[in-house]
Amino acid sequence: MTAVAACSSNPTPDIRYASEGGLDLDRRAMALREVKALQNKGARVWCVPFARNASGVNIRGNANTWWGKAAGVYDRGRKPVVGAVMAFAGTSGMSMGHVAVVSEVVSERRLKIDHANWNRNKVSLGMLVEDISPRNDWSSVRVESNPGSFGKPYPINGFIYPKQDS
């Protein structure tokens, strides 16, 4: 795992989107069309292609490799920004890690994510996540899998910020 000190000197890039609400709704729509096409063929839906399509962060490989692969290619940091990829670390119960796209920053310690395969073979939009890290640095979170019910803690490597079109 790459240390946070190795992150870009720009911890919160200026992320701008043309669509309302800050989220690139065209990318999200394209990602959802891709999911539907896979489901119609009986194919499995995974978090990695969904996050890549929805965010524009073009990284390949299991989710637990994204943080390291982003080093030197994408800005990374600890601050959630709409459109950024939240990179979950691999754990014993989630060995391949997980990636999700930040769809809304609700408050300093809460945000919403769009992601695939948290619930097997489905996409979840606007799922609430809360930062439970002791230093308020988004290194540990709980995800609201059911309304009003947050699950167990998950370690987070950080956020990968998409490049902006020139």
Side-chain angles (χ1 to χ4, degrees), residues 22-64:
L23 191 64
D24 189 329
L25 299 178
D26 291 335
R27 279 197 165 282
R28 179 199 254 178
M30 185 267 296
L32 291 171
R33 283 192 304 273
E34 290 293 319
V35 164
K36 194 65 167 166
L38 287 170
Q39 290 170 330
N40 287 341
K41 292 190 292 187
R44 184 77 184 269
V45 174
W46 296 99
C47 66
V48 165
F50 179 82
R52 184 173 44 245
N53 289 335
S55 71
V57 173
N58 193 16
I59 297 178
R60 306 243 175 224
N62 290 336
N64 63 348

Side-chain angles (χ1 to χ4, degrees), residues 150-166:
F150 287 88
K152 67 181 183 176
Y154 288 96
I156 301 297
N157 289 322
F159 298 92
I160 303 168
Y161 308 111
K163 295 178 181 180
Q164 298 305 299
D165 295 331
S166 301

